[in-house]
Amino acid sequence: MRRVLLAAVAVSGLSAAAQAQDDFLPAVVFDMGGKFDRSFNEGIYNGVEQFREETGIEYREFEVTNESQREQALRRMARDGADIVIAVGFAQAPALEVVAQEFPDTRFTIIDMVVDLPNVQSVVFQEHEGSFLVGVLAAMASQTGAVGFVGGMDIPLISKFACGYHQGAAYVNPDIGYFENMTGTTPAAWNDPAKGAELAQSQFDRGADVVYAAAGATGLGVLQAAADAGKLAIGVDSNQNYLHPGTVLTSMLKRVDVAAYNAFRSAMDGTWEPGVQVLGLAEDGVGWALDENNESLITDEMKAAVEEARQKIIAGEIEVHDYTVDNSCPL
Amino acid sequence: MSGGDRTQPGPGGGAGPGHAAPAAPAGDAPPAIELRHINKHFGPVHANRDISLSVARGTIHGIIGENGAGKSTLMSILYGFYQADSGEIRVNGQPTPILTPSDAIRAGIGMVHQHFMLVYPFTVLENVVLGTESRPLLRETLAGARAELERLEREYGLEVDPDAVVENLPVGAQQRVEILKALYRGADILILDEPTGVLTPQEADDLFRILAALRDQGKTVILITHKLREIMAITDNVSVMRQGQMVAHRKTSETSRDELAELMVGRKVLLRVEKGEAQLGPVILDVEGLDVVDHLGVRRVKDVSFQVRAGEIVGIAGVSGNGQSELLAALAGMTRPAKGHIRIRGTDVAGHHVDARTMRALKVAHVPEDRQREGLVTSFAANECAILGYHRAPRYNRGLFLDRGRILGATRQLMQDYDVRPPNPFLPAANFSGGNQQKIVVAREITSDPDLLLVGQPTRGVDIGAIEFIHRRLIAMRDAGKAILLVSVELDEIMSLSDRILVMFDGHIVGEVPQDRRDERTIGLMMAGVPLETAEAQAHAAAGAH
Amino acid sequence: MATAEPVRAPAWVRVGLVPLVNLLLAFIVTGLVVLAVGENPFEVLRLLVRGAFGYPEAIGYTLYYTTNFIFTGLAVAVAIHAGLFNIGGEGQAYIGGLGVGLVCLYLDFLPFIVVLPLAIIAAALFGAAWAFIPALLQAKRGSHIVITTIMFNFIAAALMVFLLGKVLIKPGQMSPESRQFADHLFLPKIHEVLEPVGISIGRSPLNLSFIWALVCCVLVYLFIWRTRWGYEFRTVGQNERAAVYGGISPSRVTIWAMVISGALAGFMGINEIMGVNHRLLLNFTAGYGFVGIAVALMGRNHPVGIVLAALLFGALTQGVAEVPFDIPAIDREMQQVIQGLIILFAGALEYMVRPHVERAYVALFRPRRQPVAAE
């Protein structure tokens, strides 16, 4: 409280000076999906929770509910003396650009976007590479020769997932059938499991038997629909295999939890560094999930094929096109 | 809301005197209703001042007074809509607190409102049982109710088809449904608030027959009205209210129209308008072959032709709903005629894109039939109502803005000239009595200095003092050389004001009533669609038979 | 004669006391909910008030939200005066912002002083255009305006996702946003304006569009109550038959009322796009268009009431957001519950307490039974 009041009357420098004597104070600003979206934000949440459990250090958190709160929340965290603030999601970049300049002594880590400032660490993922691998698995698991994709909103990030996935499926089977649907045009699109289930069902009806969901909480509906229809679904971001064992083929892992954990941990250790971190297959930043829930679905042949593709991508023999480079997909 | 913890001394059902007021001395039954020293304020207005009233069982008791005299307030207190500030209500001799309408219903009081409280898409039977459904399944309730309804209809001559949908019924039948509703709920005492305001003369006569039957069966009827004719025709006793006070009680047989009128208004009243010969000028309105089709595609005005000249009042008589309203709306530019010509001083406006604004520009003013729904915006202040239709006129505007100063000045002038009370230009129109509302409308239209004035039901729901005033204004306008077309269902009004009378029936003009043969019987028959010659013959025959 | 309202309390009871009682009720119920999740309601209230008004920056944020709510509240109110329920403020603001963004993106070679009026005009035109189509459908075809405006919200959202995802997006970028506008086109923030005159207040998104919002309040007041066009709006809104009788075309009023309503909603884009975000982006409307309905309802469709109601909702949006920094249990779901309760009591349930408050007032302060002459 004392610090808050101080900050209210003083300029930003004061709090930074006061912070040296205090304990390590990490903070995280979740984005609009909310920390329990079972997907992207929840991955971050798992990472920071792991940090808390290991170190016993409490962190501060905030879930934004509208555009302008991002800047407000970031500034509030910085002003209250946070040592490191994780900004979750590309949408926080404009706000972070402003706040990071106001608080040059505060460290910020942004996930999914590059902000080029001396006190900002940007962590981006090669989602198209991970999606390529699950595309390979989908095409091999498919008996109908058709796979589907359900995205949240028709925006470049989601197209990046879709495009990588489609490339992976086509790598296995050039004649693969492919369906793609986006859920909606408003933020509700990320939190509409009912519509996700409908879209998945319609893709099943059109002949797909594996559907990949990259749509936040909407994806839960896709997974449910697959379980109900006895078809296969692919989860995203976190490992979602456990949700419906036996019908979740795999999950495209985007290790935001690792990124979040590392950000806190390195900041505490003093090893935190600004700059861009690109996490792809080589860095184990993305990958596919294999555990007891889906091992019966993954044959050795599939395992071998996906491992081979992974190696080739790391070696540069397979070049997976990134949709966001030119806003188009070669397929 | 009130609790249900009070004792309920009034009779509950439709049963007769058996259980009512057993303590009353035999042979001298207590009055059905007795009001003692009722007072009611609305803010600074003392709407009912120390009112006492006794209504004898088995009589028709009229309460007469001008609009705003406090009749409706008094009946609303009796029916539980309002509570009196002080005073006592006795039903059959027992003090009966009536705090809500359900208290009133339990005490055996039923009310038929001026504006019906019916669910129009429902059938008669469904309306009658509405709110009394006693069983979980509607079918069972309806079956029980049907028998009861048929008994009531037989007993009181209230003929209505129980399965007819209410909105398809004529107004008179809808009113009978309201009466049936009250009787079905066990009403012993029936209050009717201005029941004939919406009825044709024939329908009114039917209603009076029903009321007489009810009285003869032992029911008590309270009739609120401002029409002297009805009081004289049907009531046994009459009480007169004026300015919140009860000024007189009379036996109807011992009073006269003139006395009642004087009691109501507080001064001598001229019931007949005096007017001189018409000084005819050029033709102002020339209607030729006019057809009007309503929004449902029904042809409401059929091949109508007539003329109105400067300096005359042409009256259109007819039972309500025979196309007069549609004719008036078309002439005022509110609806577009399907075919035919409307010429204003020779300019044909039919067929062009005409609205009420263009008609006003042609110096045609219009006092609409329904002032509350058309002539005024009841939520607007009087000064805003005073410019409706003329709000674009340069005299009320200054640049981009309305000229408030001049609007208020004009409104004050208008209120003074037409004796609008209270003369407060900021008061919402809804807070004026019907007569004063109508004065605002009439004043607005007359002061616009039109060449042609279309007038629909100028005195509907208007008190006697205001009727007299409005009639005199219309005559003055005519004498100033203006053309006036008057549409009214009040035959008295048509006969006393008009220089010429046209009769409308089923969209047609049946004919013009010759100057020397204006009698109620002839016009009444023409209003029923009988052509002039036949009507005359029948009227003579009937006169001879008597 | 008195028929409609049996009891008449003075106007201030209806306009002032009843909303206050509603607000109090909302706070009481909210307090119970907060208690139910195990937190101290007074502490939450204290944090809320401090978060909304406790320090200059907070006030800046509160007024920034207020700006949005004034625009959308005025939009709803103008339509209601003409008897139309415009639920499309959200979409109209969205498209209005698009207009502002296009001007700023493509006319940035012009100086600020030229771009600003153009941006205001573009906001009005785009917002108005988005309201014009439903208005036309209502006026000419009888399609219900509530339905069509709701649908147009979705169409607006779809259009923006398309434009920002495929057309206006800054190439090579992940997020569906346009490039940032040129620096000189940023609408000055209030704290930036006040700095040169020696007044230092906290940084906040509050910008000059707040002044424009207040100007719009005055303009709306003058238009609705002081011009013949406003008179026609109100006549149609109160009594369409009387309007026809008075030579007023309801369909023309419908169209103009919606156009003006849409333009007012569009002005929200000035605040969000030119004042705060400085780029076109998705979802900057964030439901403010819908809050405008509650604002208009609570403000009784009068500009003064709308400013007060907008301030209340602005303070709520800002204040509630500040609470979880200190009490994490008040998470965003709880925030929505709190805001929802206040909207419910203050807006939707107005008629629940009004008769009781009025009756209580009359019972307590009824004029003595002095012998008053009845006129």
Side-chain angles (χ1 to χ4, degrees):
Chain A
M1 190 48 47
R2 173 180 57 85
R3 217 161 39 204
V4 172
L5 292 177
L6 264 182
V9 288
V11 283
S12 56
L14 268 179
S15 61
Q19 130 201 345
Q21 305 118 28
D22 285 29
D23 291 329
F24 180 67
L25 179 59
V28 55
V29 176
F30 293 103
D31 211 61
M32 297 224 251
K35 64 184 174 186
F36 296 123
D37 64 354
R38 304 252 183 131
S39 188
F40 178 65
N41 283 288
E42 190 160 339
I44 301 281
Y45 173 74
N46 291 336
V48 296
E49 276 292 295
Q50 186 193 349
F51 173 82
R52 187 178 66 84
E53 280 162 20
E54 285 183 13
T55 62
I57 295 175
E58 293 291 332
Y59 59 90
R60 298 188 73 184
E61 61 173 357
F62 187 79
E63 296 170 281
V64 302
T65 50
N66 69 52
E67 297 290 331
S68 49
Q69 277 183 357
R70 296 187 178 115
E71 183 174 330
Q72 191 185 0
L74 289 171
R75 180 175 294 118
R76 173 83 189 247
M77 293 300 186
R79 201 180 47 201
D80 284 3
D83 296 285
I84 168 104
V85 181
I86 298 179
V88 179
F90 62 75
Q92 299 202 17
L96 183 59
E97 271 171 38
V98 177
V99 176
Q101 292 180 58
E102 281 174 39
F103 296 89
D105 298 329
T106 307
R107 287 168 288 192
F108 296 92
T109 292
I110 181 163
I111 312 285
D112 259 7
M113 185 76 179
V114 175
V115 170
D116 189 14
L117 284 169
N119 56 331
V120 176
Q121 180 188 62
S122 309
V123 182
V124 293
F125 293 86
Q126 305 284 68
E127 292 93 347
H128 52 295
E129 295 181 358
S131 297
F132 186 96
L133 296 190
V134 299
V136 167
L137 289 170
M140 294 184 74
S142 171
Q143 289 165 6
T144 58
V147 297
F149 177 87
V150 173
M153 201 188 276
D154 189 6
I155 57 173
L157 173 67
I158 296 305
S159 297
K160 187 178 179 183
F161 282 79
C163 185
Y165 172 69
H166 192 181
Q167 289 175 73
Y171 174 75
V172 174
N173 174 4
D175 299 324
I176 194 94
Y178 175 73
F179 306 110
E180 181 179 315
N181 289 100
M182 297 297 177
T183 307
T185 55
T186 60
W190 306 107
N191 195 16
D192 193 348
K195 189 143 183 222
E198 259 175 59
L199 291 173
Q201 188 56 50
S202 91
Q203 295 187 348
F204 294 143
D205 291 346
R206 281 180 282 166
D209 57 354
V210 186
V211 174
Y212 176 30
T218 301
L220 301 177
V222 175
L223 269 51
Q224 180 71 50
D228 293 346
K231 312 277 183 179
L232 295 172
I234 299 174
V236 77
D237 291 350
S238 302
N239 183 349
Q240 298 180 320
N241 294 357
Y242 73 96
L243 288 172
H244 298 282
T247 58
V248 179
L249 177 63
T250 180
S251 297
M252 199 291 276
L253 299 177
K254 178 173 167 183
R255 303 305 301 269
V256 290
D257 52 339
V258 176
Y261 175 84
N262 285 344
F264 278 6
R265 176 60 90 171
S266 61
M268 191 175 75
D269 297 345
T271 55
W272 183 91
E273 286 199 356
V276 181
Q277 289 186 14
V278 180
L279 303 182
L281 286 177
E283 297 81 12
D284 271 337
V286 293
W288 64 286
L290 179 62
D291 59 18
E292 71 278 9
N293 292 311
N294 68 336
E295 57 193 359
S296 59
L297 299 170
I298 307 287
T299 62
D300 290 343
E301 187 193 351
M302 288 160 79
K303 255 184 241 173
V306 77
E307 182 54 28
E308 186 198 331
R310 195 177 87 90
Q311 295 299 344
K312 282 185 174 172
I313 292 170
I314 293 172
E317 288 169 46
I318 298 175
E319 205 167 305
V320 184
H321 178 77
D322 178 355
Y323 175 91
T324 56
V325 170
D326 58 0
N327 271 4
S328 72
C329 196
L331 288 165
Chain B
M1 296 296 105
S2 66
D5 53 341
R6 291 176 308 278
T7 50
Q8 195 45 263
H19 58 79
D28 189 16
I33 294 283
E34 202 178 352
L35 300 176
R36 292 186 176 179
H37 308 292
I38 298 282
N39 273 288
K40 179 69 187 172
H41 292 79
F42 292 113
V45 179
H46 203 154
N48 278 171
R49 188 181 313 193
D50 196 31
I51 305 268
S52 294
L53 172 69
S54 174
V55 178
R57 168 172 294 276
T59 63
I60 298 179
H61 193 114
I63 297 181
I64 195 164
E66 295 196 282
N67 277 359
K71 314 181 293 282
S72 295
T73 305
L74 187 66
M75 289 306 120
S76 297
I77 289 169
L78 182 53
Y79 196 60
F81 278 136
Y82 307 149
Q83 292 165 39
D85 298 337
S86 63
E88 188 185 41
I89 300 173
R90 283 169 180 248
V91 180
N92 295 316
Q94 297 285 337
T96 308
I98 294 179
L99 302 183
T100 67
S102 31
D103 291 343
I105 291 167
R106 252 176 279 142
I109 300 171
M111 186 150 179
V112 175
H113 299 270
Q114 192 172 0
H115 302 287
F116 303 148
M117 313 258 171
L118 294 170
V119 184
Y120 288 89
F122 280 15
T123 65
V124 170
L125 189 59
E126 286 166 338
N127 266 287
V128 167
V129 299
L130 195 73
T132 64
E133 305 90 340
S134 51
R135 317 230 176 115
L137 286 179
L138 190 60
R139 279 174 70 106
E140 299 172 14
T141 310
L142 289 179
R146 182 180 297 274
E148 171 69 3
L149 186 63
E150 277 162 5
R151 186 185 68 79
L152 289 170
E153 290 194 12
R154 261 196 321 277
E155 206 163 313
Y156 302 109
L158 285 154
E159 289 152 33
V160 199
D161 173 8
D163 298 314
V165 173
V166 165
E167 63 191 345
N168 299 335
L169 290 175
V171 178
Q174 291 180 357
Q175 193 171 52
R176 291 201 286 278
V177 177
E178 282 281 23
I179 296 172
L180 282 167
K181 257 170 74 179
L183 294 175
Y184 181 78
R185 281 162 179 68
D188 239 3
I189 301 153
L190 205 57
I191 307 169
L192 293 102
D193 187 5
E194 301 279 1
T196 59
V198 290
L199 301 182
T200 65
Q202 282 81 1
E203 284 175 323
D205 289 343
D206 288 344
L207 174 68
F208 294 157
R209 267 196 296 280
I210 292 165
L211 295 184
L214 287 166
R215 172 187 55 195
D216 297 343
Q217 298 279 336
K219 304 274 181 193
T220 308
V221 176
I222 300 177
L223 176 71
I224 305 168
T225 183
H226 61 264
K227 289 184 186 165
L228 293 164
R229 182 174 91 96
E230 295 169 6
I231 292 289
M232 302 309 291
I234 182 76
T235 61
D236 300 308
N237 299 295
V238 55
S239 299
V240 185
M241 288 188 77
R242 185 171 77 228
Q243 292 186 356
Q245 282 173 298
M246 200 57 95
V247 292
H249 301 286
R250 294 282 185 278
K251 266 190 158 359
T252 309
S253 52
E254 292 165 7
T255 184
S256 67
R257 286 169 75 132
D258 288 338
E259 187 199 14
L260 289 177
E262 194 178 331
L263 285 167
M264 276 168 70
V265 184
R267 60 181 164 82
K268 283 237 177 268
V269 183
L270 278 174
L271 289 176
R272 279 249 166 229
V273 205
E274 289 171 3
K275 65 181 188 347
E277 270 307 286
Q279 304 294 315
L280 290 186
V283 172
I284 302 292
L285 172 67
D286 180 8
V287 179
E288 195 187 324
L290 195 72
D291 264 33
V292 179
V293 175
D294 71 8
H295 65 284
L296 296 172
V298 179
R299 195 161 157 239
R300 304 304 295 266
V301 175
K302 300 167 185 168
D303 193 25
V304 162
S305 303
F306 65 91
Q307 293 183 336
V308 184
R309 308 176 80 98
E312 70 170 342
I313 297 179
V314 173
I316 295 190
V319 176
S320 169
N322 277 283
Q324 308 98 308
S325 306
E326 289 79 5
L327 173 64
L328 209 55
L331 295 179
M334 292 172 66
T335 54
R336 214 170 180 180
K339 77 173 196 251
H341 302 280
I342 300 172
R343 296 192 194 86
I344 307 292
R345 287 181 311 262
T347 314
D348 195 347
V349 294
H352 302 284
H353 181 77
V354 168
D355 60 11
R357 197 169 143 200
T358 9
M359 294 310 285
R360 283 200 178 82
L362 289 166
K363 305 202 75 164
V364 176
H366 176 204
V367 176
E369 290 185 316
D370 190 334
R371 63 179 165 269
Q372 300 224 355
R373 280 200 233 157
E374 288 176 351
L376 295 167
V377 181
T378 47
S379 57
F380 277 13
N383 73 80
E384 293 184 302
C385 289
I387 61 169
L388 181 62
Y390 305 95
H391 54 280
R392 285 172 175 269
R395 65 179 183 277
Y396 293 137
N397 283 273
R398 195 177 47 202
L400 290 172
F401 297 103
L402 288 167
D403 189 336
R404 298 259 289 175
R406 289 173 79 168
I407 292 171
L408 286 172
T411 310
R412 286 203 176 92
Q413 187 64 45
L414 173 158
M415 290 180 135
Q416 189 185 332
D417 293 349
Y418 284 78
D419 192 29
V420 176
R421 284 187 226 174
N424 175 359
F426 298 103
L427 197 66
N431 293 18
F432 287 92
S433 70
N436 282 306
Q437 288 176 350
Q438 187 71 342
K439 281 182 186 171
I440 293 174
V441 175
V442 170
R444 178 184 70 210
E445 298 304 317
I446 290 182
T447 50
S448 76
D449 192 28
D451 286 350
L452 170 65
L453 182 64
L454 308 169
V455 193
Q457 319 296 354
T459 55
R460 175 185 277 174
V462 170
D463 49 76
I464 292 189
I467 290 176
E468 185 194 11
F469 186 91
I470 290 169
H471 282 177
R472 274 196 278 121
R473 288 286 173 164
L474 292 177
I475 298 288
M477 248 197 111
R478 153 207 187 249
D479 291 344
K482 310 295 185 185
I484 297 177
L485 180 70
L486 169 69
V487 170
S488 176
V489 293
E490 303 277 351
L491 213 44
D492 287 352
E493 182 165 73
I494 292 277
M495 301 221 315
S496 68
L497 285 180
S498 309
D499 297 305
R500 292 192 293 131
I501 299 174
L502 306 172
V503 181
M504 244 182 128
F505 173 76
D506 191 28
H508 294 284
I509 291 205
V510 182
E512 179 172 342
V513 183
Q515 200 64 24
D516 54 337
R517 281 167 236 156
R518 289 177 159 203
D519 56 88
E520 224 165 289
R521 203 182 297 270
T522 310
I523 301 175
L525 282 166
M526 288 173 78
M527 282 163 71
V530 181
L532 175 64
E533 293 73 26
T534 330
E536 275 185 306
Q538 285 186 9
H540 280 300
H546 277 286
Chain C
M1 188 59 226
T3 46
E5 269 177 295
V7 191
R8 278 199 74 83
W12 68 265
V13 171
R14 246 175 313 143
V15 183
L17 188 61
V18 171
L20 278 181
V21 171
N22 277 314
L23 205 57
L24 196 68
L25 275 177
F27 277 126
I28 291 171
V29 176
T30 309
L32 293 177
V33 174
V34 170
L35 210 58
V37 298
E39 297 293 337
N40 176 353
F42 294 103
E43 178 64 9
V44 170
L45 182 63
R46 191 184 67 77
L47 287 171
L48 196 155
V49 172
R50 198 203 59 184
F53 299 109
Y55 48 99
E57 186 190 303
I59 297 174
Y61 267 93
T62 296
L63 292 180
Y64 146 70
Y65 289 119
T66 304
T67 309
N68 286 337
F69 296 147
I70 289 176
F71 284 131
T72 55
L74 285 177
V76 173
V78 166
I80 285 183
H81 278 297
L84 299 161
F85 200 25
N86 176 13
I87 304 203
E90 188 82 359
Q92 290 144 19
Y94 215 171
I95 298 299
L98 174 66
V100 175
L102 292 178
V103 165
C104 291
L105 285 172
Y106 293 107
L107 298 177
D108 58 1
F109 51 87
L110 295 170
F112 175 77
I113 198 71
V114 178
V115 173
L116 179 61
L118 289 177
I120 292 179
I121 292 168
L125 283 180
F126 275 62
W130 210 249
F132 173 74
I133 306 169
L136 197 68
L137 291 171
Q138 161 97 59
K140 302 292 177 202
R141 286 267 161 268
S143 318
H144 203 290
I145 202 110
V146 169
I147 308 294
T148 45
T149 49
I150 286 180
M151 296 199 300
F152 265 67
N153 288 338
F154 287 100
I155 300 175
L159 180 67
M160 292 297 278
V161 168
F162 169 74
L163 287 177
L164 288 172
K166 309 271 192 232
V167 183
L168 296 170
I169 188 169
K170 183 173 150 195
Q173 174 184 268
M174 185 85 87
S175 66
E177 298 177 348
S178 75
R179 68 175 169 84
Q180 194 169 50
F181 305 149
D183 289 358
H184 72 282
L185 296 185
F186 291 11
L187 194 60
K189 304 254 166 71
I190 298 284
H191 63 86
E192 293 163 357
V193 176
L194 291 183
E195 221 148 7
V197 269
I199 304 170
S200 179
I201 57 169
R203 293 180 62 102
S204 72
L206 179 64
N207 57 71
L208 285 183
S209 52
F210 179 63
I211 309 291
W212 179 237
L214 295 180
V215 170
C216 285
C217 285
V218 176
L219 293 179
V220 165
Y221 171 78
L222 290 175
F223 180 82
I224 292 291
W225 279 279
R226 288 286 181 267
T227 71
R228 49 190 177 278
W229 303 286
Y231 179 88
E232 297 198 344
F233 278 29
R234 288 183 294 128
T235 306
V236 170
Q238 293 288 328
N239 184 338
E240 198 168 309
R241 278 174 65 176
V244 172
Y245 162 80
I248 301 163
S249 158
S251 50
R252 201 163 48 206
V253 165
T254 296
I255 288 174
W256 277 106
M258 284 302 288
V259 160
I260 291 172
S261 175
L264 286 164
F267 287 147
M268 208 194 99
I270 308 266
N271 186 28
E272 283 293 330
I273 296 300
M274 207 173 170
V276 179
N277 290 301
H278 308 134
R279 53 163 67 72
L280 268 176
L281 71 174
L282 292 182
N283 307 319
F284 62 84
T285 48
Y288 304 135
F290 295 116
V291 177
I293 298 168
V295 168
L297 207 67
M298 204 178 167
R300 309 190 129 261
N301 303 313
H302 190 285
V304 173
I306 285 171
V307 168
L308 293 175
L311 187 64
L312 172 73
F313 281 96
L316 268 176
T317 310
Q318 163 62 12
V320 166
E322 289 278 298
V323 174
F325 284 107
D326 296 291
I327 305 182
I330 307 299
D331 57 8
R332 47 194 231 150
E333 281 73 24
M334 271 300 294
Q335 295 172 28
Q336 286 186 353
V337 169
I338 292 174
Q339 282 177 331
L341 280 171
I342 287 172
I343 292 179
L344 184 69
F345 277 92
L349 293 185
E350 183 191 333
Y351 291 95
M352 185 179 74
V353 300
R354 183 168 147 193
H356 300 288
V357 172
E358 290 190 343
R359 210 170 297 151
Y361 173 85
V362 171
L364 284 173
F365 304 106
R366 149 159 53 206
R368 296 276 151 260
R369 307 248 170 84
Q370 73 271 54
V372 183
E375 291 160 23

